[in-house]
Amino acid sequence: MKMTFRWYGDKADTISLNQIRQIGYVKGIISTLYDIPAGEVWPRERIHALKAEVEAEDLTLEGIESVNIHDDIKIGLPSRDKYIENYIKTLEALGEEGIHLVCYNFMPVFDWTRTDLRKPRPDGSTVMAYDQKYIEGKNPLEFAEEIRKNSLGHDMPGWEPERLSHVLDLFEAYKDVDENKLFDNMVYFLKAIGPVCEKYDMKMAVHPDDPAWPVFGLPRIVRSKETIAKILKAVDKPYNGLTFCAGSLGTNPKNDLPGIIRSFPGRIHFAHVRNLHHFAPGVFEEAVHLSSDGSFDLYEICKALYDIHFEGPIRPDHGRNLWGEQCMPGYGLYDRALGAAYICGLWEAIEKSNR
């Protein structure tokens, strides 16, 4: 297990690499070139500069989250081959720079959905939260504008301005894309990038849908053990793998999180470990990583990862906004640092008890 931290770069993140280094538990960075729109080729010199910046703080660039996939690929338009070719060129550049992990998603329009970015908790911290009733009957353009305003000036990952500026056009483009078509388009993409992935030992780790059910009528195909198994079987190659995200899969309480982990040994390339608190069906909020604060048993999640001999990067995921920190919702320094410490403590205890 390699403890990592997501970092958005010195222009988009309120947290510095030096602050992350001081956490102590964290040895690696998961980052991206945040300013490059989906579909464009990443210049190798930009990747090299990012890697050098991380290594200058005695950290390692363990992977990219994410190289966004152009909507034409997800929709299956004739132009998709051009964008897949660009994606392949980006993977080549990453491979040449010694980067072998890409976390990506195949969610239409919205990469993730929360209805409140700063819900107050009794202790004075704030968290991201979701209430399905708030979504029902909501206009997606209106909802996108609410997200933009509530982000307090931060460009939220998956809610980039260039995407939000034509939300209604995207909904029109996806109107004939159901689960079967979206799945077929994903398989087409994965097979097309296969040769470059195998050449550079590139691990493609698909991120689950968040939440794990259709939102605004858009299809979702990475939401359960069964749907994950279907994807991994369709392209049964080591490069085609999963980002196990406890918070995303755990939005559906019916998903057995340790059971999902144990179902896919060797195919989980990356792990997001966090907690949620469920209040009712379709109503939840982010919680402290500590098991007792939420609905997940993080000991059992870490134990399952240990049992399948997981050796890839783990990162603490969405945290609370603590102590008045002004930061991107869910991505402050303090609570994620506490989460990293908690996960490392669990992992050490599991390791020692199994010797």
Side-chain angles (χ1 to χ4, degrees):
M1 182 271 284
K2 302 173 184 176
M3 181 52 65
T4 63
F5 215 75
R6 191 174 186 181
W7 183 64
Y8 290 98
D10 56 7
K11 292 182 175 61
D13 211 317
T14 56
I15 300 164
S16 70
L17 287 170
N18 185 258
Q19 288 174 311
I20 295 171
R21 179 183 181 182
Q22 291 177 47
I23 296 170
Y25 306 93
V26 174
K27 304 301 180 184
I29 292 295
I30 301 294
S31 192
T32 188
L33 295 180
Y34 197 53
D35 60 311
I36 299 181
E40 293 190 10
V41 179
W42 287 23
R44 183 175 172 183
E45 58 269 22
R46 291 283 310 278
I47 299 168
H48 182 83
L50 174 64
K51 185 179 179 184
E53 187 177 12
V54 170
E55 291 176 348
E57 284 292 345
D58 200 28
L59 297 163
T60 58
L61 184 58
E62 292 291 339
I64 297 297
E65 185 181 345
S66 52
V67 181
N68 288 327
I69 296 175
H70 197 277
D71 286 291
D72 288 14
I73 298 173
K74 299 176 187 178
I75 296 167
L77 297 178
S79 54
R80 66 179 171 180
D81 291 328
K82 174 184 70 175
Y83 291 115
I84 290 175
E85 184 59 33
N86 286 353
Y87 206 99
I88 289 170
K89 290 176 182 177
T90 295
L91 293 179
E92 287 175 337
L94 290 168
E96 291 291 339
E97 289 297 327
I99 298 167
H100 304 288
L101 171 69
V102 171
C103 170
Y104 72 103
N105 76 77
F106 221 76
M107 286 179 264
V109 187
F110 302 131
D111 283 9
W112 53 270
T113 309
R114 293 292 182 270
T115 56
D116 192 338
L117 300 184
R118 299 178 183 274
K119 181 183 177 183
R121 282 172 50 109
D123 62 8
S125 63
T126 62
V127 294
M128 295 196 291
Y130 184 90
D131 188 338
Q132 180 64 27
K133 292 180 181 178
Y134 188 83
I135 292 287
E136 294 169 359
K138 180 76 69 171
N139 179 292
L141 183 61
E142 176 189 0
F143 181 73
E145 180 61 18
E146 289 177 5
I147 290 291
R148 187 192 66 79
K149 289 181 178 178
N150 292 335
S151 66
L152 300 182
H154 297 282
D155 289 343
M156 300 293 292
W159 295 77
E160 293 82 4
E162 71 273 6
R163 179 182 300 187
L164 297 187
S165 65
H166 57 280
V167 164
L168 294 183
D169 292 337
L170 282 173
F171 269 83
E172 178 66 20
Y174 276 101
K175 68 179 182 180
D176 295 324
V177 180
D178 59 13
E179 285 192 13
N180 291 330
K181 287 184 180 179
L182 190 63
F183 174 81
D184 290 343
N185 294 339
M186 183 178 183
V187 171
Y188 183 95
F189 165 75
L190 287 170
K191 288 183 176 179
I193 66 171
V196 72
C197 290
E198 292 177 333
K199 178 180 178 180
Y200 289 101
D201 188 28
M202 189 69 66
K203 295 177 173 62
M204 296 297 297
V206 65
H207 189 285
D209 302 328
D210 191 356
W213 56 77
V215 177
F216 292 114
L218 297 167
R220 302 282 192 162
I221 60 172
V222 193
R223 62 180 191 272
S224 64
K225 184 175 77 171
E226 292 73 24
T227 57
I228 293 166
K230 182 180 178 181
I231 291 165
L232 298 186
K233 184 178 180 181
V235 184
D236 198 6
K237 302 284 187 178
Y239 72 84
N240 178 28
L242 173 69
T243 294
F244 171 81
C245 180
S248 298
L249 288 166
T251 57
N252 183 350
K254 295 180 180 179
N255 281 333
D256 173 8
L257 300 181
I260 289 174
I261 293 170
R262 291 190 170 95
S263 296
F264 304 112
R267 302 296 287 275
I268 297 176
H269 301 323
F270 186 24
H272 297 175
V273 177
R274 59 179 159 113
N275 207 345
L276 296 180
H277 185 100
H278 284 277
F279 297 96
V283 183
F284 59 83
E285 67 180 35
E286 312 285 354
V288 180
H289 284 73
L290 183 72
S291 296
S292 60
D293 190 64
S295 301
F296 306 159
D297 188 331
L298 262 67
Y299 172 87
E300 291 297 337
I301 289 171
C302 289
K303 179 68 163 55
L305 288 166
Y306 178 88
D307 288 346
I308 66 166
H309 307 290
F310 175 77
E311 296 180 346
I314 287 179
R315 70 168 178 83
D317 208 353
H318 303 167
R320 300 167 293 160
N321 280 34
L322 293 180
W323 305 322
E325 184 180 13
Q326 298 299 309
C327 59
M328 185 186 299
Y331 284 98
L333 172 65
Y334 307 131
D335 203 36
R336 287 190 296 153
L338 293 173
Y342 179 58
I343 296 164
C344 285
L346 288 174
W347 198 271
E348 180 179 352
I350 292 165
E351 277 189 322
K352 290 183 175 178
S353 65
N354 281 273
R355 286 177 184 169

